């Protein structure tokens, strides 16, 4: 490398150090956040498009930091994942969501389902199945009311993923493939994996009403899913036009700002679905 190159390397090292330092700071802050109970769950309704009723909720974590306010999961989940802190955080999420669901079941929302996002590290954690079973028992929730959301990228190791998915099905929970269409996709696995729902990623829903090829992608996913016996949930539905098209193509369920943003647990029972 020439002189210029060397300087670049030095700059690069400094930047790397800074990044590493920032990461360490966030890691420490995340540890404290767990101890201090700074995480909260918000819940977004999932609407059945045939009945126009709320049939489920997706639990979405937020970090309520005293100095910076609400931190979005996109900003800390990757670091929690890298550092392994996602394991205790993920357990907290599941437990909190299941206790909330139990409360809703006992207060007029019988039959409501709860979707919980799993990260890849959790998915491959040997303790996953007993942890879920214990949490359901502790909360007194039947497994059929829990839906585990995984992403396509977690199923890269097809054999291993298939075993875990069958174990999950074995305890009676439902499985959704989240962000469908954005990741590694081998359509053949869809037939082998014991999954219940496909969630069409927001990026395909976004221009569904304005762009014919996006409409084609969405409708093809819906058709394919239905042919495989899977139900389809559209993510990120924001407009009446998007909703109309999804209904026209027999999409089963939807969630998005058109219906409601994710809200704190207290607000969830008051959500009114626009017709
Ligand atoms: P996701 O699972 O795909 O969740 C959907 C995201 O889209 C949420 O962002 C939600 O607030 C947002 N959203 C919902 N409807 C609309 C809409 O109509 N328009 C737009 N523009 N956005 C919409 P959020 O809550 O910031 O979560 C981001 C991601 O963080 C999630 O994506 C998920 O991958 C991850 N995440 C959230 N909570 C957890 C958790 O408890 N555990 C794990 N492992 N990951 C989580
Ligand atoms: Ca999700
Ligand atoms: Ca998603």
């Amino acid at each position: 490398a020439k002189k210029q190159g060397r300087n670049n390397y030095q700059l690069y090292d400094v930047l790397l150090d800074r990044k590493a330092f920032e990461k360490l700071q966030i890691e420490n802050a995340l540890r404290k956040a767990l101890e201090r109970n700074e995480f909260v769950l918000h819940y977004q309704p999932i609407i059945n498009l045939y009945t126009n009723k709320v049939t489920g909720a997706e639990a979405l974590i937020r970090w309520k930091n005293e100095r910076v306010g609400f931190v979005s999961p996109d900003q800390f989940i990757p670091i929690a994942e890298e550092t392994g802190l996602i394991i205790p955080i993920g357990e907290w999420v599941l437990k909190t969501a299941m206790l909330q669901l139990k409360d809703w079941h006992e207060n007029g929302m019988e039959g409501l389902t709860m979707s919980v996002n799993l990260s890849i590290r959790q998915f491959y954690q040997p303790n996953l199945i007993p942890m879920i079973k214990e949490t359901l028992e502790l909360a007194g929730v039947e497994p059929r009311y829990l839906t585990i959301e995984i992403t396509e990228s977690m199923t890269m190791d097809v054999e291993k993923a298939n075993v875990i998915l069958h174990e999950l099905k074995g305890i009676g929970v439902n499985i959704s493939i989240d962000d469908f269409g954005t990741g590694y996709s081998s359509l053949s696995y869809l037939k082998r994996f014991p999954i219940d729902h496909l969630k069409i990623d927001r990026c395909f829903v976004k221009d569904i009403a304005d762009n014919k090829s996006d409409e084609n992608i969405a409708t093809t996913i819906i058709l394919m899913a239905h042919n495989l016996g899977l139900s389809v949930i559209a993510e990120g539905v924001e407009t009446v036009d998007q909703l109309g098209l999804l209904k026209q193509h027999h999409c089963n369920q939807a969630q998005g700002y058109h219906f409601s943003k994710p809200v704190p647990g207290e607000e969830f029972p008051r959500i009114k679905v626009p017709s």
Side-chain angles (χ1 to χ4, degrees):
K2 296 193 184 73
K3 222 179 185 173
Q4 171 88 50
R6 217 188 118 71
N7 284 338
N8 278 344
Y9 277 125
Q10 279 172 346
L11 181 62
Y12 190 62
D13 285 347
V14 170
L15 284 176
L16 264 187
D17 276 355
R18 237 192 88 181
K19 270 213 145 150
F21 180 68
E22 272 174 15
K23 226 180 74 186
L24 201 70
Q25 275 192 319
I26 299 175
E27 183 185 344
N28 286 332
L30 282 175
R31 255 181 238 285
K32 288 212 183 95
L34 252 176
E35 286 166 19
R36 294 182 191 159
N37 250 315
E38 289 179 353
F39 293 113
V40 284
L41 293 183
H42 283 182
Y43 301 92
Q44 187 175 39
I46 299 177
I47 286 83
N48 179 317
L49 296 185
Y50 296 105
T51 61
N52 207 46
K53 292 209 161 78
V54 177
T55 51
E58 179 175 0
L60 295 156
I61 194 170
R62 274 99 185 83
W63 175 9
K64 211 173 159 187
N65 184 279
E66 53 178 20
R67 269 180 303 145
V68 293
F70 277 106
V71 185
S72 105
D74 287 326
Q75 285 173 272
F76 66 86
I77 291 286
I79 295 169
E81 173 86 15
E82 270 181 67
T83 55
L85 280 171
I86 193 66
I87 300 298
I89 293 173
E91 289 180 11
W92 177 87
V93 168
L94 186 67
K95 186 175 150 198
T96 306
M98 290 302 96
L99 290 171
Q100 176 67 80
L101 186 63
K102 180 69 182 179
D103 181 74
W104 285 339
H105 280 175
E106 287 175 344
N107 290 286
M109 287 185 283
E110 302 85 10
L112 194 81
T113 59
M114 181 72 77
S115 297
V116 172
N117 294 283
L118 221 60
S119 81
I120 186 159
R121 191 118 161 195
Q122 283 180 287
F123 186 66
Y124 287 107
Q125 161 88 352
N127 191 36
L128 176 70
I129 304 294
M131 188 279 285
I132 294 176
K133 265 180 93 167
E134 275 165 34
T135 308
L136 286 165
E137 277 161 22
L138 177 130
V141 170
E142 287 177 47
R144 64 189 164 118
Y145 297 117
L146 170 64
T147 300
I148 295 292
E149 295 196 0
I150 64 158
T151 58
E152 292 167 276
S153 57
M154 296 188 198
T155 62
M156 288 278 266
D157 186 342
V158 176
E159 297 309 322
K160 244 182 162 176
N162 200 29
V163 170
I164 298 166
L165 290 172
H166 276 93
E167 284 174 350
L168 280 169
K169 276 317 280 185
I171 62 173
V173 304
N174 306 291
I175 299 161
S176 276
I177 302 277
D178 204 355
D179 307 334
F180 185 75
T182 60
Y184 154 92
S185 276
S186 156
L187 295 180
S188 63
Y189 76 69
L190 282 182
K191 220 170 57 185
R192 290 183 51 201
F193 290 166
I195 49 188
D196 303 283
H197 315 280
L198 285 192
K199 296 187 82 168
I200 306 182
D201 191 72
R202 187 164 76 228
C203 71
F204 299 118
V205 173
K206 196 170 172 286
D207 295 321
I208 192 179
D210 323 297
N211 181 316
K212 201 69 194 167
S213 72
D214 279 17
E215 183 184 342
N216 287 337
I217 292 172
T219 58
T220 305
I221 294 175
I222 295 169
L223 268 178
M224 180 199 62
H226 286 169
N227 279 327
L228 290 166
L230 307 175
S231 94
V232 182
I233 304 165
E235 293 190 308
V237 177
E238 295 184 353
T239 70
V240 179
D241 289 349
Q242 292 167 341
L243 180 61
L245 266 164
L246 290 162
K247 279 186 174 170
Q248 192 188 315
H249 293 292
H250 309 291
C251 183
N252 305 78
Q253 288 170 290
Q255 59 187 114
Y257 296 168
H258 170 71
F259 301 106
S260 170
K261 291 195 168 182
V263 297
E266 315 86 76
E267 289 173 32
F268 190 88
R270 291 198 296 269
I271 291 172
K272 293 271 169 293
V273 183
S275 40

